[in-house]
């Protein structure tokens, strides 16, 4: 496995947004299936990792890319704002689009290939009649608040697995339910890809990085801190068991009436069911709420019981390397 990729060849028709500079490898940009196919075929010497994004890249995405870069010979980043996973009243039209700075992050992180298609490239025949169903795990928590979201997400993730033919894929713990459902899809439908989870990247004050943080006003941003503070308070009570964890987290949230909390749950990492009071082991403490006009989510993997506390990612599922 070579750590430094060679200069990827630029396929005919693929746009290169900048001239190569010494010490930096210019990613190939593919916009169409044909361009992707040609550029992907050139990535022969070693395994290929994919990092799927909706653009508006930040340090969280950069960390996914860098982790992939350290472990795979080649990194493909997809930038695609997937209409299928947005509901009619959601923020598709105002979602930030920052392609030039996204490219700068990809360039710095040593990405080989950026696949940035438009919806008509991904959905050639319009709305796809056949979709992946997330099943019951797609109807709780985020799925309850966003009907159809996880079916749309899994459908595009499945398509991007096929189109990029990646050996491994890196996803953020930040979107815990998404990560779980992708692991389930890969396992249940035998996708030949290894899923790797990457811990949530946070601002210095604890706020989980998100492309949607750009919607927050200064005072919203202050309010939003209660989410990560609640999770930390919950984790600090981990040794005392589930009800102490939930109580500690809730105590922080009720002090912030401007955050309209949708849910705060302590659930089993695979079933997403509330863990009972006797439960000891790994659990997901997850919170979602609206601050100003913005819906925010955050979570912490927690070890419940003696010596418990916050984890970066779930150790069981990760070592299983589903
Ligand atoms: P998005 O562009 O929001 O769809 O996210 C693309 C990928 O980046 C997903 O795997 C996310 O879980 C991951 N991601 C987003 N924010 C963070 C973060 N703060 N820390 C780690 N991963 C993140």
């Amino acid at each position: 496995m070579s750590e430094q990729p060679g200069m990827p060849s630029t396929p005919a028709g693929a746009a290169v947004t900048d001239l190569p500079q010494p010490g930096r490898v210019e990613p190939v940009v593919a916009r169409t299936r044909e361009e992707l196919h040609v550029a992907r075929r050139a990535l022969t010497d070693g395994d290929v990792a994919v990092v799927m994004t909706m653009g508006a890249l930040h340090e969280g995405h950069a960390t996914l890319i860098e982790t992939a870069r350290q472990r795979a010979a080649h990194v493909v980043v997809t930038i695609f704002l997937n209409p299928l996973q947005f509901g009619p009243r959601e923020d598709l039209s105002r979602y930030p689009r920052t392609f030039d700075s996204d490219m700068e992050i990809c360039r710095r992180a040593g990405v080989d290939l950026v696949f940035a298609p438009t919806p008509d490239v991904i959905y050639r025949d319009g709305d796809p009649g056949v979709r992946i169903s997330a099943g019951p795990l797609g109807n709780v928590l985020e799925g309850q608040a966003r009907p159809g979201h996880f079916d749309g997400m899994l459908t595009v993730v499945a398509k991007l697995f096929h189109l990029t033919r990646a050996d491994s894929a890196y996803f953020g713990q930040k979107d815990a339910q998404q990560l779980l459902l992708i692991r389930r899809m890969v396992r249940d439908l035998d996708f030949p890809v290894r899923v790797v989870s990457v811990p949530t990247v946070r601002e210095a004050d604890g706020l989980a990085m998100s492309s949607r943080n750009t919607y927050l006003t200064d005072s919203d941003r202050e309010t939003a801190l209660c989410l990560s503070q609640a999770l930390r308070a919950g984790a600090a009570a981990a040794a005392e068991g589930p009800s102490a964890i939930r109580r500690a987290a809730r105590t922080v949230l009720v002090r912030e009436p401007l955050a309209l909390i949708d849910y705060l749950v302590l659930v089993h990492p695979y079933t997403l069911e509330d863990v009972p009071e006797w439960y000891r082991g790994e659990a997901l403490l997850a919170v979602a709420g609206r601050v100003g006009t913005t819906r925010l989510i955050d979570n912490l993997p927690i070890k419940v019981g003696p010596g418990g506390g916050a984890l970066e990612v779930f150790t069981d599922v990760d070592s299983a390397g589903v």
Side-chain angles (χ1 to χ4, degrees):
M1 189 199 300
S2 69
E3 281 303 308
Q4 287 298 317
M7 176 75 78
S9 58
T10 306
V16 172
T17 58
D18 202 354
L19 290 174
Q21 294 177 15
R24 301 210 295 185
V25 178
E26 184 62 27
V28 171
V29 178
R31 298 257 182 209
T32 65
R33 287 162 180 261
E34 294 69 31
E35 289 170 1
L36 174 65
H37 183 66
V38 172
R40 172 65 183 85
R41 216 171 37 196
L43 305 179
T44 48
D45 54 335
D47 57 338
V48 172
V50 66
V51 175
M52 298 181 189
T53 80
M54 298 200 298
L57 303 189
H58 50 65
E59 277 308 306
H61 300 108
T63 302
L64 260 61
I65 296 169
E66 279 150 18
T67 309
R69 183 80 286 253
Q70 284 159 15
R71 300 195 198 168
H74 301 288
V75 179
V76 178
V77 168
T78 66
I79 299 179
F80 179 59
L81 198 45
N82 177 32
L84 217 59
Q85 69 189 68
F86 284 78
R89 287 192 304 280
E90 293 184 10
D91 58 343
L92 177 62
S93 59
R94 76 160 175 163
Y95 200 87
R97 290 156 170 88
T98 60
F99 187 73
D100 290 346
S101 69
D102 294 351
M103 279 305 297
E104 186 52 31
I105 288 177
C106 290
R107 208 172 277 134
R108 262 193 271 128
V111 170
D112 298 67
L113 170 57
V114 173
F115 180 43
T118 48
D120 58 310
V121 167
I122 294 295
Y123 302 113
R124 304 181 262 202
D125 305 314
D127 219 13
V130 175
R131 299 184 186 201
I132 302 276
S133 164
L137 288 178
N139 296 330
V140 298
L141 305 179
E142 281 308 284
Q144 191 164 13
R146 306 181 66 187
H149 167 69
F150 286 119
D151 292 1
M153 179 278 293
L154 287 179
T155 301
V156 83
V157 168
K159 286 166 76 75
L160 291 172
F161 278 149
H162 294 318
L163 288 167
T164 62
R165 292 184 289 113
D167 302 293
S168 58
Y170 290 70
F171 294 96
Q173 177 60 41
K174 160 78 169 42
D175 298 283
Q177 192 175 4
Q178 165 173 292
L179 177 60
L180 170 66
L181 282 164
I182 292 168
R183 285 191 185 283
R184 284 252 53 109
M185 175 179 77
V186 163
R187 193 177 169 86
D188 291 351
L189 302 182
D190 294 302
F191 278 66
V193 65
R194 198 165 54 86
V195 174
V196 181
S197 40
V198 178
T200 302
V201 179
R202 298 178 179 281
E203 305 283 359
D205 57 10
L207 182 71
M209 290 194 184
S210 164
S211 306
R212 293 188 166 94
N213 290 351
T214 55
Y215 304 152
L216 301 173
T217 64
D218 288 350
S219 76
D220 288 345
R221 208 190 162 296
E222 278 296 306
T223 305
L225 284 179
C226 71
L227 302 184
S228 55
Q229 286 166 353
L231 297 175
R232 273 207 306 275
E240 298 160 55
S243 57
I245 295 169
R246 293 182 178 112
R247 195 166 47 241
R250 209 177 306 120
T251 303
V252 173
L253 295 177
V254 296
R255 275 194 240 121
E256 186 45 271
L258 293 178
L260 304 178
I261 300 304
D262 180 8
Y263 59 77
L264 168 74
V265 292
L266 182 70
V267 292
H268 188 277
Y270 309 143
T271 65
L272 301 182
E273 285 169 6
D274 286 333
V275 294
E277 187 52 24
W278 50 261
Y279 183 83
R280 298 294 180 266
E282 296 187 356
L284 178 72
L285 183 60
V287 64
R290 192 157 60 76
V291 175
T293 58
T294 309
R295 182 183 165 79
L296 296 173
I297 58 172
D298 199 355
N299 72 84
L300 265 187
I302 284 186
K303 179 168 178 273
V304 182
L311 304 166
E312 294 228 293
V313 291
F314 292 111
T315 55
D316 295 353
V317 73
D318 260 24
S319 58
V322 180

